[in-house]
Amino acid sequence: MATTVEWPVRLFLFEEDGTTKARVVLLTGTTTLTGHGTARCSPEDRDVPEIGDEIAAGRAMKDLAGQLQRVADLDLEGVGAGPPRHDHRAAYGWAGAMA
């Protein structure tokens, strides 16, 4: 049986003194995640606000995507479907002796 779920996403952009900040909010129905991104105009570059918006928004969405992936990974681990964890042990002595 096919189902459709809609997750609203809101993107807010704030600009002040050559710096653009973005905040993107995802509502999943059970979780709210917020991503943040910033873009700064170089003093040598012409100030084009649309470019700052695009960069800041892209960075905020990338931050949000990383958070969403971490939540999914934890959920997978919670149901026993996560990837196996590899314990790192400290190496002592010569590296050749560990081979």
Side-chain angles (χ1 to χ4, degrees):
M1 173 181 255
T3 61
T4 301
V5 177
E6 182 176 338
W7 289 355
V9 177
R10 298 197 64 195
L11 175 64
F12 303 91
L13 296 164
F14 313 91
E15 184 176 346
E16 185 176 337
D17 299 326
T19 298
T20 303
K21 294 183 180 182
R23 180 170 50 101
V24 61
V25 180
L26 170 68
L27 306 170
T28 70
T30 58
T31 303
T32 300
L33 298 173
T34 304
H36 299 275
T38 302
R40 290 176 188 82
C41 183
S42 175
E44 304 87 43
D45 293 339
R46 189 170 59 112
D47 188 9
V48 182
E50 294 82 15
I51 296 172
D53 291 349
E54 293 164 351
I55 292 171
R59 289 174 177 167
M61 288 187 220
K62 185 175 181 178
D63 180 37
L64 177 67
Q67 291 179 46
L68 188 57
Q69 189 63 56
R70 285 188 293 280
V71 168
D73 289 344
L74 290 172
D75 288 346
L76 282 169
E77 285 180 16
V79 297
R85 293 207 174 251
H86 300 288
D87 293 327
H88 297 284
R89 61 185 180 124
Y92 296 97
W94 289 273
M98 298 294 293

